[in-house]
Amino acid sequence: MPNTIIIGSGSYLPERVIERNHFSDSVFYDDNFVKIDKPNDEIIQKFVEITEIENRRYVDDDLVNSDIGAKAAQIALDDAGIDKESLDYIISATNFGDVDLHGQQSFMPSLSAIIKNKLGIKNPKCINYDMIFGCPGWVEGMVLADTLIKSGKAKNILVVGSETLSRVTDPYDRNKMIFADGAGAVVVTATEEENVGIIAHNTMCFNGDELAYLENSHSLNPEADQTKKYIRMRGRKIYEFALKYVPDAMKQTIDSAGLTLDDIDKILLHQANAKMDHAMISRLFKLYGKSSYEHTVSPMTIQEFGNSSVATVPTMYDLIKKGKMEGHSFKDNSYILFASVGAGMNINAIVYKFP
């Protein structure tokens, strides 16, 4: 049975840097549809203290999700050095598809089909899939790619995660300051080399009351246009859910790989918000009887790039692989853990070993 290894990566970070003062003139409402009677500087400062997000990136007006997904994908293909016509599958992780400046979403044709078109791939045997799985979509795309390769149905697969969340946020919701735009991609291939690549993976889906933790909903401003829907996040519920289930899911994955936490060199965790990420990693270490950890084991990009959903993990992988995150690198023959949590609510994790 072949193994699945990454042979190329790419990412696209929009050029527009959105700083905290971008929100100084915003009007915020709480979850009870009541205007928040506090100075914006105070609201923003408290937000930064919790999430650590100082900056985020937004796409230019002339770009849509498939544009930035294709940009990251092309870089990954160039890095892999393979003929794009040799791809057997394109798996595109997204939540909203292409979204225009007015917030209109489009899933027809599928985002993966549009990315294939923009890459100029002619091969009709290159099959396109959209992975709509919340923020864990890119990680789940990797799980699907591994399944396809191990089954013998594919040799080369492009896995893309891209999103333009800036276009689906409620102007009156404080949580809009969390969300950002970006794209990341990798090319994976089959190898006969043993004990490399994706060693183990784990997926859990909680689809009861958890469905309401992240959903589309009307504006918090009762006087605003109520025919439009925006991303709505119940932060406290998500925080409690993540701490309860994600560390255990990560441990299960490490254990199923026959490893211990000491074997893991890096943990690439979805960049949701810094407080939650720190808490999840701390809880994971406590599950292994460790009271503290070196923060270099869990790199973070959210402070500068915000939460770009499916793009956070592949973007971070690409930046580290290319030596663009100071103090971080991947070692030959080392193990890393990919993990994510998001709308659904869905959780997943992968143990990956570098050749």
Side-chain angles (χ1 to χ4, degrees), residues 125-277:
K125 292 291 188 178
C126 174
I127 300 169
N128 52 276
Y129 278 153
D130 277 14
M131 176 62 73
I132 305 170
F133 202 72
C135 292
W138 181 83
V139 176
E140 197 63 23
M142 291 288 284
V143 171
L144 175 58
D146 183 54
T147 302
L148 291 167
I149 285 175
K150 282 185 166 59
S151 71
K153 290 181 65 66
K155 177 175 174 58
N156 297 317
I157 301 177
L158 171 66
V159 186
V160 185
S162 60
E163 202 63 85
T164 53
L165 293 180
S166 65
R167 294 183 179 169
V168 293
T169 54
D170 180 2
Y172 303 97
D173 187 349
R174 287 169 292 183
N175 286 329
K176 72 179 182 179
M177 293 186 285
I178 286 179
F179 298 115
D181 307 336
V186 299
V187 176
V188 297
T189 195
T191 179
E192 297 302 322
E193 186 177 351
E194 296 182 356
N195 194 34
V196 294
I198 295 178
I199 303 298
H201 54 77
N202 181 24
T203 300
M204 304 172 72
C205 300
F206 298 81
N207 310 130
D209 293 341
E210 298 88 357
L211 281 177
Y213 295 176
L214 263 165
E215 61 181 352
N216 284 325
S217 189
H218 306 291
S219 175
L220 292 175
N221 181 354
E223 297 181 1
D225 182 359
Q226 294 296 304
T227 64
K228 295 184 67 175
K229 288 189 175 182
Y230 306 93
I231 188 170
R232 177 76 64 247
M233 180 173 68
R234 289 165 176 78
R236 171 53 56 179
K237 289 286 190 181
I238 294 173
Y239 184 87
E240 293 170 351
F241 173 87
L243 260 63
K244 183 176 181 180
Y245 294 109
V246 175
D248 188 59
M250 290 192 287
K251 185 177 186 300
Q252 288 179 28
T253 316
I254 295 170
D255 292 349
S256 68
L259 305 173
T260 70
L261 188 57
D262 291 336
D263 296 311
I264 304 300
D265 190 59
K266 296 287 183 188
I267 300 172
L268 273 56
L269 182 61
H270 165 54
Q271 303 293 284
N273 82 61
K275 180 181 180 181
M276 190 169 89
D277 282 14

